[in-house]
Amino acid sequence: MTGREGGRSLLPFVSAVSLTCAFLALQAVTAAAAHRGHSYVGRTAQGQRIQLAVHGRRVGLLHVTVRLRCRDRSILVDDESGFQPTPIRANGRFRDHQSGSTDDVYLSGRLRGRVLRGRVRVTDRVGRVRCNSRGVRFTARRS
């Protein structure tokens, strides 16, 4: 292929497509950064990493790992992520409950300046066995 079709160069067309793709990719990155807002990273009382995002007056749980105690006395380590944002009230407090196919996640806390403090509780099922993390405290700082 010579890059020419019917005697005309494809270069202007390819350049326009390349510029359009680059522009759309930049817009997607900018939109994702704006959607994510400020990132807060910290640790739970179990020593696990927790990551949240605050955008305006909404907080979203991005990722947390929690150890749950099951009724058969086993331990389940649960990775949770991908939550819808929840509103932050005027006093900085927030409270949320979201459900998955087998699990429930309860998130509550308070935003004060650059610090988010609160509790996360996860309940899950493995077959017929129920598991519960109880309330696990966390502290996360704006990164």
Side-chain angles (χ1 to χ4, degrees):
M1 180 165 173
T2 63
R4 299 176 72 79
E5 186 177 316
R8 293 187 307 182
S9 173
L10 293 176
L11 186 59
F13 176 73
V14 171
S15 295
V17 169
S18 297
L19 285 174
T20 302
C21 289
F23 176 75
L24 292 175
L26 180 61
Q27 292 293 60
V29 168
T30 304
H35 176 70
R36 198 170 91 197
H38 298 290
S39 182
Y40 288 73
V41 179
R43 296 276 172 193
T44 68
Q46 295 177 344
Q48 302 294 328
R49 180 180 158 99
I50 186 168
Q51 186 175 6
L52 304 104
V54 173
H55 180 69
R57 298 300 300 167
R58 299 179 76 73
V59 62
L61 179 60
L62 299 179
H63 181 263
V64 66
T65 301
V66 181
R67 287 191 316 265
L68 291 77
R69 168 106 29 214
C70 300
R71 288 195 174 178
D72 66 356
R73 298 182 187 232
S74 64
I75 300 290
L76 173 67
V77 177
D78 218 354
D79 278 324
E80 298 289 342
S81 62
F83 292 90
Q84 296 297 316
T86 189
I88 301 172
R89 295 190 296 248
N91 63 2
R93 295 186 185 276
F94 55 90
R95 182 176 298 271
D96 192 23
H97 169 226
Q98 295 188 28
S99 298
S101 58
T102 63
D103 60 349
D104 285 292
V105 178
Y106 302 85
L107 178 69
S108 64
R110 186 171 195 177
L111 173 62
R112 281 187 153 170
R114 299 176 63 90
V115 179
L116 265 170
R117 283 192 169 89
R119 288 179 186 242
V120 62
R121 178 177 169 230
V122 179
T123 61
D124 205 343
R125 272 192 336 245
V126 180
R128 292 182 173 210
V129 180
R130 292 184 190 175
C131 306
N132 190 338
S133 70
R134 311 259 174 167
V136 179
R137 292 178 190 256
F138 67 85
T139 300
R141 299 189 191 294
R142 187 168 153 183
S143 55

